[in-house]
Amino acid sequence: MAHVVILGGGFGGLAAAHELRTHHADIEVTLLDRKDHFYMGFAKLWDLGHVRPLADGTRSLANLANRGVRFLQTEITALDPSARIVETSEGTLEADAILVALGAAKSQRHLGFLNSQGAHDLYDGVQLPAIHADLDALTEGRILISILGGPFQCPPAPYEAALLVDERLRERGVRDKVELAVSTPQPMALPVAGADASRYLAGYLGERGIDLLSEKKVTGVDGATRTVGFDDGSTCDYSLLLGVPACAALTLLAEAGLTGESGFIEPDRHSLRTDYERVYAVGDSTHIPTATGALPKAGVFAAGEAVVAAGNIAADLVGSAEARFDGHGFCFLELPGRRVAFVEGNFYAEPKPQVELTDADEDQFLRKQAYETERLDAWLG
Ligand SMILES: Cc1cc2nc3c(=O)[nH]c(=O)nc-3n(C[C@H](O)[C@H](O)[C@H](O)COP(=O)(O)OP(=O)(O)OC[C@H]3O[C@@H](n4cnc5c(N)ncnc54)[C@H](O)[C@@H]3O)c2cc1C
C-alpha cells in the first residue's frame, strides 16, 4: 500500500490527513509531530480575553488513531526530499509521498527583544499564564502590543488581542489609567486585506482608544527602562510589552534544500508541488506570491492548501483526479462584544486580491465557534 508521511500535525497536516483518510482508504498515512496536541491559533486569544480556557480548545493528536492515521510523536531531524526519507529521533521513515506542513520558526532576534523585563511573546501559548498574571497586576501605565517584523502569523490577531485586552481592562475598571497601543512596521493595520478592511479595523481601535502606531519598526527593547526603540528614532515606554515575532524559515527545510530565495518553501501555488517529485508543501512553511505580496500565514490557507496537496498526492499515488488551489481564503475578524466580521476573498486575483468584508455581528461569532468545533471533531474526534 502506498505510504504518505505528513510532517507536522498543525492546521495543514491535520487537514491533509483528514482529506486522505476520508477519500483514500487505499493510502497509508503517518503523521509526525514533536507535540502531542493541537489547538487553533485563535484559541490562545480566547484564553487571553477570558472567552474560554485554552484547554477547552485543545485535542490530543493520539486521537488520530481513531481516524486510521498513524501518529508518531517525534522530533524530525532531517529530510532527504529526493529519496523521500525522513530522519527522526525515533528512527528513519521512507515514504512514497511527503507533505511538509511544519509551520515556521520565530525570528531569534525578535525572541531576544522579548526576553526583556515586562515583555512576552503574545503568540506563545506557554506564556499565557505569565501574561494573565501581568495583566491582572497592572493598574496604570501602557500596554504595547508590537508587531516586530514580517511575515508574521495571522495579520489581524495582534489587533484582536488589543481589543480583547481593552475589554479585560474595562471589566477591571482600570482602562482609563492604562494606555493601550499597537505598533506595526506596516503602513496600515491590514495591508493584506486592503485599505477598506484596514480602515474598518482602525475605526474599532479608535473607538476603543487604542493607538495605532504605523510604520514603526522596532530596532531594540531596553528591559531596564522598559522602552521600545523604533527605526525612525522615536521610542515608546511600556509597562507590559506583548510582542509578535516575525516568522523565520526552519533550518531543517533549508538544509534539505527545499527553501527558495524567500527563505521559505516556494511550491507551485496551484498544485502545492515542490521541485521534488511527490514532495508537497503547505502553510506557514511556504511563501506563495500574490499580485501584491504573499498569501498570509494563516490556518485557513494552510488547511485549504492541504486539501489540494492531499488530492494531488492521491493523484500521484492512485491516479485520482488532480486538484487545484484557487487562492480563496477568509478570516473571522474578532471585534468587541463577541462579534465577528468576515473577511473573504480571492487572494490570487489580478491586479490585486479581491477581498470583501461583511460587517461584524453575533451570528458570525457563532460561525467561528462552529468552524473550530467541526474541524476539531472531524480531525481529532
Ligand atoms: C494568536 C494566533 C491567532 C491566530 N488566529 C488565526 C485565525 O484566526 N485564523 C487563521 O487562519 N490562522 C490563525 N493563526 C495562524 C495559524 O495558527 C497558523 O497560520 C497555522 O497554524 C499554520 O499552519 P501550519 O500547518 O502551516 O503550521 P502549524 O499549525 O504551526 O503546524 C506545524 C507543526 O509542525 C510541528 N513541527 C515543526 N517542526 C517540527 C520538527 N522538527 N519535528 C516535529 N514536529 C515539528 C509543530 O510542532 C507544529 O505542530 C493564528 C496564530 C496565532 C499565533
Side-chain angles (χ1 to χ4, degrees):
M1 194 187 275
H3 181 211
V4 177
V5 175
I6 298 176
L7 310 185
F11 244 104
L14 292 173
H18 178 253
E19 180 71 11
L20 285 168
R21 226 18 344 128
T22 308
H23 299 293
H24 299 283
D26 48 350
I27 295 176
E28 188 188 344
V29 182
T30 301
L31 184 146
L32 314 179
D33 203 299
R34 61 160 74 100
K35 292 196 299 196
D36 64 357
H37 62 275
F38 170 75
Y39 52 74
M40 294 192 178
F42 58 71
K44 288 184 240 188
L45 298 188
W46 281 349
D47 187 288
L48 176 77
H50 285 163
V51 178
R52 190 197 62 188
L54 187 57
D56 291 3
T58 304
R59 295 287 182 281
S60 169
L61 292 179
N63 291 350
L64 282 166
N66 305 335
R67 296 276 174 264
V69 176
R70 181 175 164 237
F71 169 57
L72 199 57
Q73 187 179 0
T74 189
E75 182 70 26
I76 300 157
T77 53
L79 175 61
D80 177 346
S82 311
R84 290 184 298 278
I85 290 176
V86 183
E87 301 291 346
T88 78
S89 52
E90 306 294 310
T92 303
L93 277 98
E94 287 180 31
D96 297 302
I98 290 178
L99 177 69
V100 182
L102 286 170
K106 292 179 179 181
S107 155
Q108 284 302 319
R109 180 162 177 259
H110 293 164
L111 291 179
F113 289 166
L114 299 177
N115 207 11
S116 308
Q117 190 86 12
H120 300 283
D121 176 352
L122 174 67
Y123 275 17
D124 183 358
V126 174
Q127 297 191 31
L128 276 168
I131 295 174
H132 281 301
D134 281 358
L135 276 174
D136 287 341
L138 203 71
T139 51
E140 58 181 10
R142 178 186 290 116
I143 300 173
L144 175 63
I145 295 179
S146 185
I147 298 163
L148 299 169
F152 63 98
Q153 284 183 325
C154 192
Y159 303 100
E160 295 174 312
L163 290 163
L164 288 163
V165 166
D166 167 77
E167 280 204 326
R168 265 185 78 157
L169 296 171
R170 283 171 199 269
E171 279 161 20
R172 284 184 46 231
V174 297
R175 181 62 178 95
D176 54 338
K177 296 196 194 65
V178 180
E179 289 179 42
L180 190 50
V182 184
S183 76
T184 173
Q186 298 180 310
M188 59 181 104
L190 281 181
V192 71
D196 288 346
S198 293
R199 264 193 297 275
Y200 180 81
L201 179 54
Y204 274 92
L205 298 176
E207 215 173 78
R208 292 278 161 157
I210 300 169
D211 295 325
L212 176 59
L213 312 175
S214 52
E215 295 187 275
K216 296 278 185 191
K217 191 170 180 348
V218 172
T219 50
V221 178
D222 183 342
T225 57
R226 297 203 183 203
T227 307
V228 169
F230 298 111
D231 60 345
D232 60 4
S234 64
T235 59
C236 182
D237 298 341
Y238 67 85
S239 312
L240 178 59
L241 172 64
L242 302 177
V244 176
C247 290
L250 290 165
T251 313
L252 156 75
L253 299 178
E255 285 173 357
L258 271 165
T259 53
E261 263 180 31
S262 63
F264 297 90
I265 305 175
E266 298 169 0
D268 177 86
R269 69 179 197 158
H270 293 295
S271 68
L272 288 316
R273 285 192 176 97
T274 69
D275 292 342
Y276 295 89
E277 202 183 347
R278 282 182 266 136
V279 177
Y280 290 75
V282 298
D284 290 359
S285 293
T286 67
H287 168 88
I288 297 188
T290 64
T292 53
L295 283 186
K297 298 212 180 294
V300 292
F301 285 106
E305 292 157 14
V307 168
V308 169
N312 286 330
I313 286 173
D316 290 346
L317 297 178
V318 296
S320 53
E322 291 203 359
R324 185 177 162 86
F325 186 62
D326 62 4
H328 180 263
F330 59 87
C331 158
F332 296 105
L333 176 59
E334 194 144 342
L335 294 165
R338 307 283 183 272
R339 290 159 73 249
V340 162
F342 194 62
V343 182
E344 184 180 26
N346 174 6
F347 286 74
Y348 283 175
E350 301 281 347
K352 59 177 186 174
Q354 275 171 358
V355 181
E356 304 230 324
L357 185 142
T358 308
D359 203 4
D361 64 26
E362 287 92 354
D363 281 352
Q364 283 168 155
F365 181 77
L366 300 177
R367 206 171 146 203
K368 180 171 180 175
Q369 284 179 316
Y371 173 87
E372 183 202 40
T373 311
E374 281 163 16
R375 276 152 193 80
L376 290 180
D377 288 352
W379 296 348
L380 295 169

